[in-house]
Amino acid sequence: MADEGWNPKIVAIICNWCSYAGADLAGGARIQYPPDIRAIRVMCTGRVDPLFIMKAFNDGADGVLVSGCHFGDCHYLEGNYKCAKRMFLMKNVLKNIGVNDKRLRMTFVSASEGAKWGVVMNDVINTIKELGPSPFNR
Ligand code: FES
């Protein structure tokens, strides 16, 4: 259960070519979602080092979202496949250190899916609110 008056800090590491453009489209279309997301743009989710995720949690993030191109659409062909494997691994690492693995999520949002970006953001924020502050922050 979330603490009263607490707002989560969520780091979103997003691919330049799809999810960043999708987020931009959501902004242009005035799709509303809470301002709890701090976005970091990378050229491809294949660039997401597991250390980025641990650093985000260590620096106070309550949740981390990695969002990129759909499978088959990665501009670097297999970056999102490599990232998905790393996410699977990182979820296991989190579980093994006693952190709920729902705090880390990977999604796939294309440049034309601004509405989906809004839905994903609300879902991620609600999930983290239900979990409460990260154990790294207590
Ligand atoms: Fe978007 Fe690789 S370019 S995930």
Side-chain angles (χ1 to χ4, degrees):
M1 192 165 113
D3 296 359
E4 283 294 315
W6 166 79
N7 285 318
K9 287 187 217 98
I10 297 165
V11 172
I13 306 172
I14 54 181
C15 147
N16 177 66
W17 301 106
C18 289
S19 293
Y20 189 85
D24 201 33
L25 184 64
R30 306 260 186 268
I31 292 168
Q32 301 287 313
Y33 54 87
D36 302 318
I37 305 274
R38 276 77 165 169
I40 297 170
R41 178 166 45 167
V42 291
M43 292 308 285
C44 174
T45 57
R47 176 67 183 90
V48 179
D49 189 300
L51 288 176
F52 295 177
I53 293 160
M54 293 314 290
K55 178 156 176 49
F57 281 119
N58 196 45
D59 288 352
D62 298 297
V64 176
L65 167 71
V66 177
S67 189
C69 304
H70 289 277
F71 289 133
D73 290 344
C74 175
H75 285 230
Y76 306 97
L77 304 178
E78 54 190 30
N80 52 3
Y81 287 101
K82 288 179 177 169
C83 184
K85 284 184 196 165
R86 287 184 208 133
M87 292 302 106
F88 178 76
L89 236 150
M90 286 308 295
K91 279 179 161 283
N92 277 317
V93 169
L94 290 175
K95 273 193 266 186
N96 280 318
I97 60 173
V99 176
N100 191 316
D101 69 338
K102 286 184 184 168
R103 292 186 185 277
L104 173 63
R105 183 176 315 178
M106 183 173 193
T107 61
F108 306 92
V109 177
S110 79
S112 63
E113 294 177 319
K116 180 179 175 184
W117 179 258
V119 171
V120 166
M121 290 304 96
N122 280 305
D123 190 44
V124 167
I125 291 164
N126 289 335
T127 300
I128 301 302
K129 279 185 172 172
E130 280 172 21
L131 293 172
S134 165
F136 286 100
N137 301 331
R138 290 185 187 147

